[in-house]
Structures are given as structure tokens and as C-alpha cells.
Amino acid sequence: MRAIDLPEYGGPEVMQLADLPRPEVAPGEVLVEVAAAGVNRPDIVQRNGHYPPPPGASPILGLEVSGRVAAVGEGVERWQVGDKICALTNGGGYADFVAVPEGQCLPIPGSLSMVEAATLPETFFTVWANVFDRARLKSGEIFLVHGGSSGIGTTAIQLAHQLGARVFATAGSAEKCVACVQLGAEQAINYREEDFVQAVKEATSGHGADVILDMVGGSYIDRNIQVAANDGRIVNIAYLQGARVEVNMLPVMLKRLSLTGSTLRPRSTQVKASIAHSLESQVWPLIETGKIHPQIAARFPLEEVAEAHRLLESGKIVGKIVLTL
């Protein structure tokens, strides 16, 4: 099969289109003939040598795909050869075929194309697990997401808005802020021009944010503590500006804050299957009716994967990048 090989760590140029063995399908797995694969920040981190795959997972990049079931392993009950699905992989998505645990597969919402469906799993699993499972965001609460124009951000804005939260977002340009508002943010703050702490407090009459989703880290860690409401929950899913900082922890005690975070990839198949079940029952109907729609910034054929990574690293996009096979 065609696949993107990673013979060494480094820049986008190290990725090579290669002819690699097709994966074997194990009991409890389905073999997916890939139509499209989402491109995500963790792919870049793995390419740079800082995000190794879990034991037993494919070393090939790619954490989400859409396609058709090509084969099913022993014990698989729900899926049959020919079914159209999208799936959260443990690795291996940048290839013609990938083997995926049965519980990490979901039906493609009828309103979406294969390319659109390939953008769903990684971001929707991540947002659901962190914003709704860990941080317990409820209807009527105030939600702040950093990186509002990213794949995670555009997903989080739409989900939180549709499920009844007041949504605020940060982004790095006027155009990106407009996009965030169009997706459901009450207010988008250009972090290059405004202080998001002051802006959110002013907009909420001093209340602050009940839940904050952050992938920036660095100086944002202390500022998140400042803008958090009493009993607020702060969730970190990445640290683009660094994880080692000095902060004043006193407000954590005084405001009864919860600081948490998670990574999705190392979690068990059972946990991921549980997240998939929640998404199918509570979120997929919103996609089916068009209330939530994936945001695609660009698409590239598999052989142009280096250009796809360069574009993602540039930060000059709103939404997701997709590789088509």
C-alpha cells in the first residue's frame, strides 16, 4: 500500500511516500480503506520526535480517517465490509489502509462527504473528552477557548454553543475572530491587540470563564487562572508556548479552581469507545441536521503531505487540513 514513511525526525521534508506492507486486521479491529485523513498538530509533534506512538500502534502518522471497511477481524459485530465510516486511529492514517479498533469507528453522518468526515474524529473526541467529560461544561456556563480558529477551536466553539454555553474565543487576526463569531462565539478576542482577561471579565460583568480550554500554555497559564470564575475548570491539551512557568497559585485556592488536562492517544480502547458512544448519541444528530459542520481550510493529495504540514505550521488557516487518497 501507499503510505507516508518517516525514516527520521525533522521538518516536513523528511516524510516520504513509500510502498509499505498492508496492516493485518486483528480480532476486534476493522481494516479501513482510507479515502481521506485529517492532519493534526500531534502529527507534527510526532514528526519532530516528541510524540511516540503507544506500544503496538502503527508508527505511520495520522490519527483520523474516513473510508470504507475493507475487512473485519474476529469478534467484530457492528461493522461489515463496505460500510462507510470515520475512525479515530492510534496511528497509521496517512496510508491506503489502516487497522482500527471497532469501538473507535463511527458512521459517517449522512450530510457529510468523505473528506468532511475525515476531520471529525481527532478533534471531536478531544473536545468532548476534555470540555464535557473532564471539565463538565454545562448549559448556561461561560466557556473560553484559546486558538479559536484551529481545528480544535472551531469544533469547541460549535459544540459549546449548540449545547447552550456562552462562548468566548481568542484568535490572532481580525479575519479569524470573524470566523469564530460566525461559528457561535459571543465574542472573539484578537490576542495581538486585546487582553483576553480584561475582555472576558468585562463581557461577563466580572464573572470570568467557568471552563477554559487551552493549548497555548506559557504565559496563558497564569492568565487563565486570573480570568477563571469561582469554581472554574481549566483544561490544558497542549503547551505551544511551553509547559514550565512560574505562577501565583493563591487564586487557585481562593477561587476553588480545578486545573487538569489530558492526552487522547495513550488512553485505552475502552475509554475511546465510550467517548465514541457519547459522540454518536449526543453530537452526531447535530451534525446530521447541519447545526454543526466541519471547517475545512485546505485539502492536499497524499503525496503533498509536506505542503500540508507546512500550511498547518504557518497558522494561517481556519479549521482543518485533509489529505485525500
Side-chain angles (χ1 to χ4, degrees):
M1 68 174 184
R2 295 178 306 156
I4 298 302
D5 191 22
L6 191 65
E8 60 181 317
Y9 299 127
E13 70 281 353
V14 303
M15 296 180 291
Q16 299 178 2
L17 186 65
D19 186 13
L20 298 178
R22 182 184 298 190
E24 299 290 334
V25 60
E29 291 184 339
V30 299
L31 184 68
V32 183
E33 183 177 7
V34 179
V39 179
N40 296 283
R41 285 274 174 190
D43 301 341
I44 292 173
V45 181
Q46 181 177 341
R47 192 199 72 214
N48 286 325
H50 305 303
Y51 195 37
S58 171
I60 297 171
L61 300 175
L63 298 175
E64 60 182 352
V65 299
S66 64
R68 294 180 183 271
V69 175
V72 296
E74 182 182 349
V76 171
E77 298 179 353
R78 178 173 185 183
W79 309 108
Q80 298 179 348
V81 172
D83 286 347
K84 296 180 180 181
I85 61 171
C86 58
L88 179 76
T89 77
N90 298 326
Y94 292 9
D96 282 326
F97 293 90
V98 61
V100 186
E102 175 184 23
Q104 293 171 210
C105 302
L106 285 160
I108 293 179
S111 60
L112 299 189
S113 68
M114 283 283 194
V115 171
E116 291 170 324
T119 70
L120 298 178
E122 171 67 12
T123 48
F124 278 80
F125 273 73
T126 298
V127 170
W128 189 267
N130 287 283
V131 176
F132 297 95
D133 282 349
R134 298 192 68 79
R136 307 175 310 283
L137 180 66
K138 298 185 289 291
S139 177
E141 288 192 314
I142 294 165
F143 173 57
L144 169 63
V145 55
H146 296 301
S149 62
S150 67
I152 291 289
T154 55
T155 298
I157 289 170
Q158 293 184 84
L159 265 177
H161 173 67
Q162 288 297 327
L163 295 176
R166 292 179 61 191
V167 182
F168 294 80
T170 63
S173 72
E175 294 77 14
K176 289 181 177 180
C177 287
V178 169
C180 292
V181 171
Q182 290 175 339
L183 290 172
E186 179 177 322
Q187 182 176 340
I189 301 129
N190 186 339
Y191 62 79
R192 302 183 192 277
E193 299 177 354
E194 294 182 78
D195 175 13
F196 70 79
V197 176
Q198 181 180 353
V200 172
K201 285 193 171 182
E202 287 182 356
T204 60
S205 302
H207 179 87
D210 297 298
V211 172
I212 301 168
L213 181 64
D214 181 28
M215 65 280 294
V216 180
S219 65
Y220 279 37
I221 295 175
D222 189 59
R223 296 166 71 194
N224 288 336
I225 292 172
Q226 294 175 37
V227 76
N230 289 339
D231 299 303
R233 291 87 74 197
I234 302 170
V235 189
N236 273 93
I237 56 171
Y239 296 95
L240 297 178
Q241 287 188 4
R244 294 180 177 271
V245 295
E246 182 175 321
V247 299
N248 177 10
M249 294 295 289
L250 185 60
V252 174
M253 180 175 65
L254 297 177
K255 295 199 283 186
R256 304 175 300 280
L257 304 182
S258 297
L259 309 183
T260 187
S262 74
T263 55
L264 180 62
R265 195 176 188 185
R267 302 186 78 179
S268 71
T269 298
Q270 291 75 20
V271 168
K272 293 173 186 175
S274 176
I275 298 170
H277 178 75
S278 295
L279 288 173
E280 187 171 1
S281 64
Q282 300 185 59
V283 177
W284 256 226
L286 297 173
I287 300 174
E288 290 276 6
T289 58
K291 293 179 179 178
I292 291 177
H293 199 279
Q295 305 298 301
I296 297 179
R299 60 187 74 186
F300 294 86
L302 182 65
E303 57 269 24
E304 294 180 16
V305 63
E307 291 305 312
H309 274 225
R310 290 188 183 102
L311 179 59
L312 181 58
E313 289 179 299
S314 76
K316 298 177 180 179
I317 58 171
V318 174
K320 297 287 292 286
I321 297 172
V322 184
L323 298 175
T324 57
L325 288 87

